[in-house]
Amino acid sequence: MKHRPATVVALALAALFAATVSGCASTPVASVTSVSATPSAEAIAPTPTPTPSVAATDAPVVVEELGKGEQDAAVDVEVAGPTQVAFRRITLHPGAGTGKHCHDGQLIAVVEQGTFTHYAPIYPGGVHVYQAGDSIVEGAHYVHEGKNEGTEDVVLLVTYVIPEGDPLAETDLSHCDPEQPAE
């Protein structure tokens, strides 16, 4: 397996940060217990409202667990060349979907809330349903679509690892390979 320096460095820094923060067990940390949003005509992502176990100013490090999911298989994230990393919270209201698209890189997501139906050629029968607490890994270039076919909002916490300058989601399907399975 050939590693790309930018990806290896980014992943190593993320692992180092996670190990450093998780190693601060004796340090008081805040925990998120509620999420609030300000309604308006345009969609606004919810903002976490920390409820600290101690005053936030007393803690030298504050950690907010935004989501956690598990994968049964190994995860290999590799993107050629300079890489951008982006984090998003995406909310799909009942009946909404992402539309068909692909990615030039890879992404890892956690279903924070709801039931997410994912249509892609990588699954037997072309569909897989994810519940709150499940994680999703999407490879590069295959066409897929996510939908909220339930009655409550689906909230996804998504990390994109995409070549620098490329869109996070490619909606021009001529740039995708509809038969390409996940790598």
Side-chain angles (χ1 to χ4, degrees), residues 96-165:
T98 63
K100 290 184 178 182
H101 64 282
C102 69
H103 304 282
D104 293 328
Q106 294 180 305
L107 67 83
I108 300 171
V110 172
V111 180
E112 182 179 41
Q113 173 186 313
T115 301
F116 182 65
T117 305
H118 196 241
Y119 294 91
I122 62 168
Y123 306 117
V127 64
H128 187 82
V129 176
Y130 293 92
Q131 304 293 328
D134 290 342
S135 66
I136 304 164
V137 176
E138 291 182 351
H141 305 295
Y142 63 91
V143 176
H144 57 278
E145 179 175 20
K147 294 184 179 179
N148 179 354
E149 297 176 344
T151 58
E152 69 172 306
D153 285 351
V154 167
V155 180
L156 303 171
L157 302 174
V158 184
T159 302
Y160 298 84
V161 184
I162 307 289
E164 188 175 298

